Amino acid sequence: KTIEEDLRNALEQDQLELYYQPKIDCRTERVVGAEALVRWHHPDRGLILPGEFISVAEECGLINRLGAWVLDRACRQTQIWRETTLPGLRIAVNLSPAQFQDAELVTSVTQIMDQTLLPDGTLELEITESILMNNPEKAVSTLNELKGLGVRIAIDDFGTGYSSLNYLKRFPVSSIKIDRSFVNDIHVDMDDKAIVDAVIGLGHSLNLEVVAEGVEEIEQHEYLRDKGCDFIQGFLFAKPLPADVFEKWVTERH
Ligand code: G
Ligand code: G
Ligand code: MN
Ligand code: NA
């Protein structure tokens, strides 16, 4: 059987699971939210990471179903957490380019927001720079519709794309996530320092929240905190965790 057939089954047979990576306030070190990251429990092959199957889902037209499942699951879980153990929690969900272009996206986000009643600003969708460049006019209108639903937009992997900076002005974006390739050597490499300093300054002067990804060392956290970065994610704090483990991790930490 091909991975494509297997993936069809996965959706029907409940083999997908969301893991959650904490997003931490750089200054107070409190957990403010989570990024949902999909995992596949393959009956024969065990745990498969999204790097191996998101592109397959895109190619075989399953990405919209998969993405709708992720969005629905992440928002329902967040609603439950907010009402029980984790009040105020925010949730970020990754969108692939095909999902962003799907005419049904705004409709399905509207439905989920109606069903879960998540307050404005609770749901954040992470998109990459390339999504905005394919069809900028369409992208602006989609983003404005999402913004009207109280959804925040983050630019993921910021700095790795080809686009000009002017889209930060034109598109209704609320945060940027500095790609982890810039964060890796931040405490030792002068060029990476310069890039990260500039991105934090740029983000703040445009009133955007700045998030740094891939923080693994205390020195990286300290550098980012001293430069005024708002939020951080990374293995220094936690890997992406299954829902029950995430909940326990956050409640024991606070
Ligand atoms: O979880 P991991 O670090 O292995 O994620 C690898 C990549 O897969 C990341 O770029 C992430 O954005 C992407 N990814 C994870 N979950 C999802 C998802 O639910 N939808 C989409 N479109 N991409 C995802
Ligand atoms: O592209 P995106 O930002 O959505 O990717 C998220 C991916 O980054 C997840 O697969 C997650 O496992 C990974 N990740 C998260 N924190 C770290 C980290 O500190 N170091 C490394 N190497 N990967 C990380
Ligand atoms: Mn992401
Ligand atoms: Na990223």
Side-chain angles (χ1 to χ4, degrees):
K1 271 196 304 183
T2 62
I3 186 166
E4 180 181 330
E5 290 170 68
D6 284 354
L7 195 53
R8 265 174 226 286
N9 284 331
L11 279 158
E12 277 148 28
Q13 293 170 11
D14 213 23
Q15 292 168 8
L16 299 181
E17 181 182 2
L18 291 186
Y19 277 36
Y20 297 87
Q21 186 179 40
K23 183 188 287 185
I24 313 265
D25 184 307
C26 206
R27 202 174 44 82
T28 65
E29 295 180 33
R30 287 186 66 84
V31 177
V32 294
E35 176 175 359
L37 295 151
V38 68
R39 302 290 184 257
W40 178 7
H41 297 283
H42 191 283
D44 309 320
R45 295 173 55 198
L47 187 76
I48 308 184
L49 296 174
E52 264 193 76
F53 64 87
I54 290 290
S55 58
V56 176
E58 282 175 7
E59 282 156 25
C60 68
L62 283 173
I63 192 65
N64 289 333
R65 273 181 60 202
L66 190 155
W69 181 87
V70 169
L71 205 51
D72 187 71
R73 176 58 65 97
C75 290
R76 287 178 194 281
Q77 177 65 77
T78 301
Q79 177 201 24
I80 292 167
W81 275 332
R82 290 177 62 96
E83 286 172 357
T84 55
T85 47
L86 306 174
L89 191 80
R90 286 161 50 167
I91 187 74
V93 173
N94 293 284
L95 278 196
S96 77
Q99 271 180 285
F100 189 74
Q101 266 129 38
D102 179 16
E104 295 295 307
L105 174 69
V106 173
T107 311
S108 59
V109 174
T110 306
Q111 274 174 9
I112 289 168
M113 296 307 274
D114 286 348
Q115 285 162 5
T116 56
L117 300 172
L118 293 178
D120 283 4
T122 303
L123 172 63
E124 184 164 71
L125 298 178
E126 298 192 4
I127 62 177
T128 51
E129 296 165 83
S130 59
I131 285 185
L132 302 176
M133 290 297 111
N134 297 340
N135 185 348
E137 285 73 30
K138 182 71 180 19
V140 169
S141 74
T142 303
L143 291 178
N144 277 321
E145 287 182 286
L146 292 170
K147 188 181 178 187
L149 297 171
V151 175
R152 302 164 50 85
I153 302 294
I155 307 293
D156 206 355
D157 308 334
F158 186 80
T160 59
Y162 295 100
S163 44
S164 76
L165 293 175
N166 96 74
Y167 66 80
L168 285 181
K169 199 175 75 178
R170 292 183 44 211
F171 295 104
V173 163
S174 28
S175 58
I176 49 184
K177 300 188 75 177
I178 306 174
D179 190 69
R180 65 169 180 266
S181 59
F182 303 114
V183 173
N184 272 341
D185 296 325
I186 202 183
H187 48 310
V188 286
D189 184 309
M190 295 307 288
D191 291 341
D192 286 338
K193 274 196 187 30
I195 290 169
V196 168
D197 294 359
V199 172
I200 294 172
L202 173 76
H204 285 166
S205 58
L206 293 170
N207 266 323
L208 304 173
E209 281 180 356
V210 180
V211 185
E213 317 179 294
V215 175
E216 296 180 357
E217 311 285 341
I218 289 171
E219 291 78 8
Q220 296 164 344
H221 175 194
E222 288 171 347
Y223 185 85
L224 291 159
R225 186 195 55 212
D226 294 346
K227 293 292 175 175
C229 182
D230 301 296
F231 303 108
I232 48 182
Q233 286 176 235
F235 297 168
L236 174 63
F237 299 97
K239 294 178 302 187
L241 304 167
D244 54 340
V245 182
F246 172 83
E247 181 183 28
K248 193 159 177 283
W249 188 88
V250 180
T251 47
E252 281 174 4
R253 180 183 170 87
H254 282 172

